[in-house]
Amino acid sequence: MVAWLALAVYLAGLVTAFGVRTWLHRAATGDSGFRRGAAPFGGGEWWAQALFGAALLLGVVAPVLGGTGLLGPIALLDRPVFAVVGLVLAVVGWLAVLAAQSAMSRSWRIGVDPDEHTELVTGGVFGLVRNPIFTSMTVLLVGLTAMVPNWVQLLALGCLVAGMQLQVRVVEEPYLGRTHGTAYADYRARVGRFLPRLG
């Protein structure tokens, strides 16, 4: 039962964070916000995209395997209290993703176009951390992992964290540095990457 609830939360998160958000962005700007091009095979951007894709897929597979009984939980992590805490974290993470996306307003993008110049968003939640969407996605997946503590869900979490690190460090930060220069350097110096005051 918990695995199916986790799947429902996860799918609702995907639909709202990708589908609904894309629709709202297109309605407001005439643009989908998607900037996913064909990254050179084997490079940092390619690996970031591959790891994100794996995380998204495994995030569906894990609760299905758990819910059908095809894959049992890791005994050490299989506790009712973890499932309850996990549900709270998953819902908080999901809502935080939506709030952070909304805070980006017209600058919201999935991916990077190196020739595009968008506004540097530094206010609100972006004044606490530079990548609140990724931080919130991690909270969501940590919550789901507590709800469905099997090795596939742990792998999904690992793929998300690795892909997120590559995307930010190899793709987004160099782009923002080139595009915004000293404004981004100042912002980077005072605001943490994923957690306040860290990175």
Side-chain angles (χ1 to χ4, degrees), residues 146-195:
M147 294 176 74
V148 185
N150 61 37
W151 68 265
V152 175
Q153 188 65 56
L154 282 171
L155 184 58
L157 178 60
C159 286
L160 174 74
V161 171
M164 174 182 74
Q165 292 285 346
L166 280 171
Q167 178 68 19
V168 168
R169 295 170 187 264
V170 175
V171 180
E172 295 187 2
E173 288 182 350
Y175 160 75
L176 291 168
R178 288 190 308 270
T179 304
H180 297 287
T182 56
Y184 181 68
D186 292 344
Y187 174 56
R188 185 176 174 175
R190 70 177 188 272
V191 177
R193 182 180 279 122
F194 299 113
L195 296 170

Side-chain angles (χ1 to χ4, degrees), residues 48-116:
Q49 291 179 10
L51 288 164
F52 270 120
L56 291 175
L57 178 62
L58 293 172
V60 172
V61 171
V64 170
L65 291 175
T68 58
L70 293 174
L71 181 63
I74 298 168
L76 181 66
L77 303 177
D78 188 25
R79 303 283 185 269
V81 67
F82 289 174
V84 173
V85 171
L87 176 59
V88 172
L89 286 175
V91 171
V92 167
W94 168 26
L95 296 177
V97 166
L98 300 180
Q101 287 178 327
S102 180
M104 287 193 78
S105 188
R106 299 176 74 88
S107 293
W108 177 76
R109 298 286 184 275
I110 293 178
V112 169
D113 177 351
D115 299 321
E116 187 174 27

Side-chain angles (χ1 to χ4, degrees), residues 16-52:
T16 53
F18 290 102
V20 174
R21 178 63 204 169
T22 300
W23 178 80
L24 290 172
H25 193 74
R26 185 184 292 278
T29 67
D31 175 40
S32 70
F34 276 79
R35 300 294 184 270
R36 287 284 182 204
F41 178 76
E45 185 175 5
W46 184 89
W47 275 108
Q49 291 179 10
L51 288 164
F52 270 120

Side-chain angles (χ1 to χ4, degrees), residues 108-153:
W108 177 76
R109 298 286 184 275
I110 293 178
V112 169
D113 177 351
D115 299 321
E116 187 174 27
H117 185 24
T118 59
E119 177 188 352
L120 179 62
V121 179
T122 61
V125 69
F126 286 86
L128 298 174
V129 292
R130 299 195 310 267
N131 300 282
I133 295 173
F134 288 143
T135 298
S136 301
M137 288 172 66
T138 304
V139 171
L140 168 60
L141 235 62
V142 166
L144 293 174
T145 303
M147 294 176 74
V148 185
N150 61 37
W151 68 265
V152 175
Q153 188 65 56

